[in-house]
């Protein structure tokens, strides 16, 4: 910014080696701030509060015991903030208010010269943009300031417009008898909504409720100024009982986030300068959803959308904290993701983990209520923490062949645990497994397969394995040798018809009787089918290599139920062609029931079997009608 007309241009350098000074287009800079650096014009209130708080912080360091006040007011399109802070001299207004970046490192040196290094650590502003952000909503900024460092210095007026020009002039002493600063913003056309009394008060409360100084707001209607700050923070206030504290925190959550929490978790990290609370959501939410947490930096709201504050697995809580150690981004609207934040994130995650452990040990009713809503979040956490998994075994629900129950309950009945990787496979096998004492868990849901893989490290006495076709077949009742011998021709026909599908056929007796055939598949069988498909499309070199790998890999199985009347009727059909068509239909029906994706060969078989049965069903009618 310059103190001359914005249309003037500097003289050209006298020679190629002459030094020059960058000229700043303020209109372009304001556009950059409003459309790229800041997410909304609302940040101008934060900048006003920030400057006032930094000023009174410096005043207290310079003059301990000085009367401190910050007052925000509105009237007729104007926003005014007045503080009793350190103030500025005429030279400082040129230096600090009109030079971008000056308030950072050079400000540190000047404070050091005055013995105010400790005060600098308490300042909120770190990037030197200062009042320029206010041009997002203002066409003119007027600053009236008087320095507390020089009692003989006259008050100074700094007047800037959004075309990039400013003036500085000294005022009579009576213009501002006491040290401090008054900033007056004249709103620009189109920005009126951001300078209404209701909006300014709401933004001031949002940003400044936890600031360390008393701040008041005057709406210009003649009433008493209303307090903006509300300290101490609700999590630091004394309460007569733990129950009363929970009620107070629940009310704070409802006011802040719009929901009544299931519970609250203290987030207290004194070493890291972090204090706050996490509220447990009352409704389930997706693990993919990254909740926005509310972060205050030295009392000033930094963001209510910090998605990197807690570990990803803690998606079931919304947190609000105040910190004096974490770094903001350049826009001061989010947290800078560095090593410090990573360490804080891990420590906050440990707080949430400790809360779960405490509930499991002493308050099982509250834990059960929590898991009824958020068991998915705990499963996500437990897959990385064997100790927590052991702690949660009596509580985490799983879908099993014996019904919904905890792993501990299921392990009491089954020392050998099988699991399926898909929900469809589980639902097909679950009734049969339950009838024959086979313990199967549905691991088709998020995180369940990971937890079952971790289970043996917690319970070494348990054997956990993915369900395979052989394990199921072994549990089903064998058919008497005489009966199987009598059906030898039928079984030979079925195996011949299903050989092209890479499927074996076995005869067993199992419950429920209503299921005529069961299609069993496992990972090894699927790998063998993939190898066969690759073999069919490979060149001669790969044909030899893949052929050598065939070995005796297991194949899928179609298990026919000898207890089912339909199987017995099909086995007694005299027509071998019709028998083959019926068997292909059974295979197709069992495959569809398993809800596995169909290969082209399977689709062709289903088509052929369906048309074959239609032809067989309509053939006798055509024969009776005779030629026409």
């Amino acid at each position: 910014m310059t103190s001359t007309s914005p249309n003037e241009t500097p003289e050209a350098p006298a020679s190629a080696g002459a030094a020059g000074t960058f000229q700043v287009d303020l209109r372009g800079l304001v556009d950059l701030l409003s459309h790229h650096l800041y997410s909304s014009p609302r940040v101008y209130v934060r900048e006003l509060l920030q400057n006032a708080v930094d000023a009174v912080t410096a005043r207290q360091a310079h003059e301990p015991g000085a009367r401190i006040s910050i007052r925000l007011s509105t009237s007729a399109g104007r926003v005014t903030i007045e503080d009793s802070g350190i103030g500025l001299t005429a030279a400082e207004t040129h230096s600090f208010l009109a030079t971008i970046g000056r308030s950072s490192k050079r400000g540190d040196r000047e404070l050091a010269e005055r013995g105010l290094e400790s005060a600098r650590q308490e300042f909120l502003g770190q990037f030197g943009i200062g009042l320029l952000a206010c041009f997002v909503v203002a066409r003119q900024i007027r600053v009236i300031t008087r320095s507390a460092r020089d009692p003989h210095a006259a008050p100074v007026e700094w007047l800037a417009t959004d075309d990039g020009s400013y003036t500085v002039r000294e005022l009579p002493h009576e213009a501002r008898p006491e040290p401090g600063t008054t900033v007056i913003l004249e709103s620009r056309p189109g920005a009126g909504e951001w300078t209404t009394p209701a909006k300014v008060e709401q933004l001031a409360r949002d940003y400044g409720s936890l600031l360390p100084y008393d701040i008041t707001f005057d709406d210009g209607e003649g009433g008493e100024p209303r307090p903006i700050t509300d300290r101490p923070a609700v999590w630091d206030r004394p309460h007569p009982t733990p129950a009363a504290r929970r009620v107070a925190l629940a009310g704070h959550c409802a006011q802040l986030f719009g929901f009544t929490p299931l519970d609250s978790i203290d987030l207290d990290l004194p070493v890291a300068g972090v204090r706050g609370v996490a509220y447990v959501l009352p409704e389930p939410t997706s693990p993919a959803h990254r909740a926005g947490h509310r972060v205050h930096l030295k009392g000033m709201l930094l963001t209510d959308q910090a998605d990197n504050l807690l570990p990803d697995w803690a998606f079931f809580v919304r947190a609000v904290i105040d910190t004096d150690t974490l770094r903001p981004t350049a826009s001061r609207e989010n947290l800078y993701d560095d090593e410090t934040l990573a360490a804080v994130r891990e420590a906050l995650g440990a707080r949430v983990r400790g809360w779960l452990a405490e509930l499991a040990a002493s308050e099982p009713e509250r834990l059960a209520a929590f898991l009824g809503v958020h068991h998915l979040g705990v499963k996500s956490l437990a897959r990385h923490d064997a100790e927590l998994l052991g702690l949660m075994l009596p509580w985490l629900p799983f879908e099993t062949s014996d019904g919904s129950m905890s792993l501990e309950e299921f392990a009491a009945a089954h020392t050998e645990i099988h699991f399926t990787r898909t929900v469809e496979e589980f639902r097909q096998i679950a009734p049969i497994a339950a009838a024959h004492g086979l313990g199967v868990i549905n691991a088709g849901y998020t995180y369940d397969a990971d937890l079952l893989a971790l289970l043996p490290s917690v319970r070494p006495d348990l054997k956990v394995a993915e369900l395979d076709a052989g394990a199921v077949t072994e549990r089903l009742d064998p058919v008497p040798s005489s009966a199987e011998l009598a059906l030898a021709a039928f079984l030979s026909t079925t195996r011949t018809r299903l050989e092209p599908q890479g499927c074996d056929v076995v005869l067993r007796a199992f419950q429920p009787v209503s299921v005529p055939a069961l299609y069993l598949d496992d990972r090894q069988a699927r790998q063998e089918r993939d190898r066969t498909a690759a073999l069919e499309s490979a060149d001669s070199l790969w044909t030899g290599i893949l052929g050598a790998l065939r070995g005796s890999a297991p194949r899928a199985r179609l298990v026919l139920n000898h207890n089912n009347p339909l199987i017995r009727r099909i086995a007694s059909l005299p027509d071998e062609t019709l028998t083959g068509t019926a068997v292909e239909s059974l295979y197709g029906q069992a495959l569809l029931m398993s809800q596995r994706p169909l290969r082209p060969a399977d689709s062709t078989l289903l088509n052929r079997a369906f048309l074959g049965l239609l032809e067989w069903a309509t053939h006798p009618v055509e024969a009776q009608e005779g030629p026409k």
Side-chain angles (χ1 to χ4, degrees):
M1 296 176 69
T2 68
S3 59
T4 58
S5 169
N7 296 320
E8 293 182 11
T9 57
E11 292 185 6
S15 66
T21 304
F22 283 109
Q23 300 297 305
V24 176
D25 177 1
L26 185 58
R27 290 186 186 276
L29 181 59
V30 169
D31 180 72
L32 177 66
L33 293 175
S34 59
H35 293 98
H36 300 284
L37 183 60
Y38 295 134
S39 61
S40 165
R42 72 198 303 267
V43 297
Y44 86 93
V45 173
R46 182 194 66 195
E47 296 296 335
L48 290 175
L49 291 173
Q50 175 179 290
N51 288 339
V53 168
D54 285 349
V56 297
T57 300
R59 175 78 182 275
Q60 281 198 328
H62 173 73
E63 187 183 338
R67 185 180 62 84
I68 296 302
S69 66
I70 300 175
R71 178 170 175 166
L72 187 65
S73 61
T74 58
S75 64
R78 291 183 178 181
V79 177
T80 302
I81 187 166
E82 184 174 5
D83 67 70
S84 58
I86 196 68
L88 298 172
T89 64
E92 287 170 336
T93 59
H94 283 285
S95 178
F96 292 134
L97 298 186
T99 306
I100 300 170
R102 178 64 58 86
S103 64
S104 181
K105 295 184 179 178
R106 186 172 300 183
D108 286 342
R109 291 199 297 272
E110 295 186 10
L111 284 168
E113 292 171 4
R114 296 182 174 94
L116 303 180
E117 299 92 334
S118 60
R120 184 69 181 123
Q121 301 304 315
E122 301 302 319
F123 287 0
L124 300 170
Q126 297 292 325
F127 292 92
I129 294 172
L131 286 177
L132 288 183
C134 295
F135 279 116
V136 172
V137 299
R139 64 178 181 83
Q140 176 182 282
I141 301 175
R142 185 184 183 207
V143 178
I144 301 172
T145 182
R146 183 168 185 173
S147 175
R149 299 190 187 99
D150 184 356
H152 302 293
V156 177
E157 179 193 67
W158 180 86
L159 184 64
T161 58
D162 61 1
D163 63 4
S165 65
Y166 74 91
T167 60
V168 176
R169 66 187 179 104
E170 291 189 355
L171 301 176
H173 283 270
E174 57 269 19
R176 184 170 185 99
E178 298 295 330
T181 302
T182 301
V183 179
I184 305 167
L185 307 185
E186 297 279 355
S187 65
R188 67 167 56 245
E193 63 173 303
W194 297 103
T195 58
T196 62
K199 174 61 75 173
V200 173
E201 182 176 12
Q202 179 253 314
L203 292 176
R205 292 184 187 280
D206 205 31
Y207 280 116
S209 62
L210 298 184
L211 287 172
Y213 306 109
D214 291 336
I215 301 172
T216 59
F217 175 76
D218 185 352
D219 60 9
E221 295 182 359
E224 284 293 318
R226 296 185 288 272
I228 292 298
T229 46
D230 185 22
R231 304 183 319 275
V234 64
W235 53 83
D236 284 330
R237 294 174 189 171
H239 297 280
T241 64
R245 185 174 187 270
R246 279 200 294 269
V247 170
L249 289 174
H252 176 253
C253 177
Q255 181 181 11
L256 203 61
F257 295 124
F259 65 85
T260 301
L262 278 178
D263 210 339
S264 56
I265 308 167
D266 281 319
L267 303 177
D268 183 10
L269 302 175
V271 175
V274 173
R275 286 282 294 157
V277 63
Y279 294 115
V280 182
L281 294 168
E283 302 291 340
T285 186
S286 167
H289 174 68
R290 302 190 69 180
H293 306 292
R294 193 175 177 90
V295 178
H296 295 258
L297 180 60
K298 300 174 184 176
M300 180 74 78
L301 177 67
L302 181 71
T303 178
D304 58 4
Q305 294 297 321
D307 59 3
N308 54 358
L309 179 65
L310 292 177
D312 289 344
W313 53 259
F315 55 83
F316 50 85
V317 298
R318 292 283 300 277
V320 52
I321 68 162
D322 188 20
T323 175
D324 57 13
T325 58
L326 299 179
R327 290 174 57 197
T329 58
S331 65
R332 296 195 295 281
E333 293 188 290
N334 212 333
L335 291 171
Y336 187 76
D337 212 334
D338 56 9
E339 292 181 359
T340 302
L341 179 57
V344 167
R345 183 164 50 235
E346 183 178 348
L348 293 178
R351 287 285 186 273
V352 178
R353 227 176 1 247
W355 169 78
L356 283 171
E358 184 180 340
L359 286 188
S362 59
E363 300 187 70
E365 296 84 6
R366 285 173 63 197
L367 178 64
F370 166 74
L371 290 177
V373 178
H374 294 297
H375 61 274
L376 198 60
V378 179
K379 286 182 177 182
S380 172
L381 172 57
R383 66 198 174 113
H384 300 299
D385 190 332
E387 183 180 350
L388 181 65
L389 175 59
L391 190 67
M392 292 290 111
L393 280 180
W395 309 103
L396 289 178
F398 284 79
E399 186 177 9
T400 79
S401 52
D402 295 345
S404 180
M405 60 181 61
S406 71
L407 281 178
E408 187 169 90
E409 292 174 309
F410 192 71
H414 304 278
T415 56
E416 186 174 356
I417 296 176
H418 299 273
F419 66 90
T420 64
R421 290 191 178 272
T422 66
V423 175
E424 294 76 20
E425 185 179 4
F426 172 81
R427 289 178 179 167
Q428 184 198 20
I429 201 67
I432 297 166
H436 293 270
L438 184 65
V440 181
I441 291 179
N442 180 6
Y445 296 120
T446 307
Y447 308 131
D448 285 2
D450 294 335
L451 292 180
L452 289 172
L454 187 62
L455 186 58
S457 67
V458 178
R459 290 283 303 273
D461 57 310
L462 297 178
K463 181 182 178 182
V464 179
E466 185 174 353
L467 184 69
D468 61 71
V472 178
T473 306
E474 288 173 8
R475 287 298 185 104
L476 304 181
D477 297 333
V479 176
S481 300
S482 57
E484 189 163 2
L485 210 62
L487 297 176
F490 164 69
L491 292 174
S492 176
T493 300
T494 60
R495 287 166 182 150
T496 301
R497 293 298 286 263
L498 296 183
E499 175 62 29
Q501 311 306 122
C503 181
D504 291 333
V505 178
V506 295
L507 187 65
R508 291 290 187 273
F510 57 87
Q511 300 296 326
V513 174
S514 58
V515 178
L518 176 66
Y519 181 83
L520 295 177
D521 199 3
D522 53 38
R523 182 183 295 180
Q524 290 180 314
R526 289 190 288 271
Q527 289 174 344
E528 174 61 17
R529 281 203 306 274
D530 292 341
R531 188 205 60 80
T532 302
L535 182 63
E536 292 172 354
S537 59
D539 57 28
S540 57
L541 173 62
W542 283 106
T543 298
I545 294 173
L546 293 170
L549 296 175
R550 181 166 188 173
S552 57
R555 304 201 298 171
R557 298 183 185 186
L558 182 68
V559 184
L560 301 178
N561 188 1
H562 189 253
N563 291 338
N564 183 272
L566 177 62
I567 294 297
R568 295 185 181 185
R569 287 197 295 272
I570 292 175
S572 63
L573 288 173
D575 187 336
E576 184 176 323
T577 302
L578 179 58
T579 299
T581 300
V583 167
E584 288 181 339
S585 298
L586 286 172
Y587 170 83
Q589 187 263 352
L591 194 61
L592 291 173
M593 289 296 292
S594 71
Q595 298 189 35
R596 288 175 174 80
L598 298 179
R599 298 169 295 165
D602 295 328
S603 299
T604 301
L605 177 143
L606 281 169
N607 239 357
R608 182 173 67 242
F610 177 72
L611 294 175
L613 288 176
L614 282 179
E615 185 179 349
W616 177 82
T618 56
H619 178 72
V621 176
E622 292 173 355
Q624 290 171 8
E625 289 179 354
K628 293 183 179 179

